[in-house]
Amino acid sequence: MTATVRTVLGDVAPEELGVCDAHDHLFFRSPLLPGQELDDTAAAEAELHAYRNAGGGAVVQWTPHGLGRRAELLPELSTATGVRIVAATGLHQAAHYTPESLARLRPVLADVFVRELTEGIGDSGVRAGLIKVAGGFHALDDHAVWTMRAAAEAHHATGAPIAVHHELGTGVLDVLDLLCGELGLAPERVVLGHLNRSPDFAVHRQAAESGAYLAFDGPSRANHATDWRMPDAMAALADAGYGDRLLLGGDTTTAGARSVSGGPGMPYLLRRVRPRLELVLGKALVDRILVDNPGRVFAVERLPGT
């Protein structure tokens, strides 16, 4: 058995990712963000070049099904910039979709996920490397439970990891109860997103004890209690022995947040967040968080030649 990460240019060994932004978006379109769509190809390429120049090697795009992933453009962008890209299947919260589109997906959702992981997204031929789902604010509604059940079915068929959006960082333990308790996922195949948005160190510790990966993603949003509390939160986990379960991501979701549009963007993760974390955690651990941990969680065991 060998472990590989499925990028938009094909499967690679985990160590080939290099420095990895474990949660970000090159393309994203939602009715909840009118006028702020990430749909400009030239801007996406410029952002990847800026990230590459800052030392970045790979980006995991968490944009799921139906939200403007532009999967057909990702291989060319990866080739042009030298940044490896991992694409997602999955489904976001119900508010991002029309009721009609959700009704069409309801009987076939797990099949859609499996097809996008094994055959390709639409007609692009680009295969996804992870499944992205979403919880709600301190709770899991019927949509979230339905989506996570389909994601678990697809995971059991393919081995792909599941990455979870937590609304303002809440509902983490409920997600673990469902995915790893009732639905039988190994915790190390789950990425819990936005832990920085709810700086509850006790919940962080409980989540880490499960064996899941904890993503601190979306820095530069002071209103979400991110940057100034994130080093202490990550240090507490590292001191407790969970440094091998931590991930970092930028989570750029609006056009104005791109560095090429005057925002922090993807380079901010390496230009400002990385050195600040190195002061608290040490360079060796931050290197592991950016390189080793993403390569491990986004890799899938498979038989050689399949």
Side-chain angles (χ1 to χ4, degrees), residues 12 16 58 60 67 72 79 96 112 116 128 140 152 154 158 167 178 182 205 222 236 242 256 270 284 292:
V12 301
E16 293 183 43
V60 182
L67 295 183
E72 72 282 0
T79 300
H96 292 278
V112 169
E116 293 190 341
L140 299 180
T158 65
E167 191 66 20
L178 177 61
E182 180 180 343
R205 177 70 175 265
Y242 300 111
L270 304 180
D292 298 343

Side-chain angles (χ1 to χ4, degrees), residues 34-49:
Q36 284 293 325
E37 294 83 1
L38 291 173
D39 58 7
D40 186 321
T41 307
E45 181 173 344
E47 189 75 359
L48 282 174
H49 277 299

Side-chain angles (χ1 to χ4, degrees), residues 94 115 141 217 230 237 253:
R115 184 170 65 252
D141 61 14
D217 41 26
M230 191 164 71
L237 289 165
T253 57

Side-chain angles (χ1 to χ4, degrees), residues 231-247:
D232 288 342
M234 297 181 74
L237 289 165
D239 290 345
Y242 300 111
D244 62 344
R245 285 293 184 264
L246 303 177
L247 299 168

Side-chain angles (χ1 to χ4, degrees), residues 285-302:
L285 178 54
V286 175
D287 286 346
R288 297 208 319 267
I289 292 169
L290 286 168
V291 178
D292 298 343
N293 296 357
R296 190 166 55 249
V297 70
F298 293 115
V300 176
E301 296 285 345
R302 68 185 184 99

Side-chain angles (χ1 to χ4, degrees), residues 5-6 31 43 76 80 92 109 111 146 180 210 225 258-259 280 284 300 304 306:
V5 178
R6 177 146 292 171
E76 184 176 347
H92 213 316
L109 189 59
D111 293 336
W146 161 57
C180 303
S210 77
R258 279 182 166 147
S259 68
V280 177
V300 176
T306 61

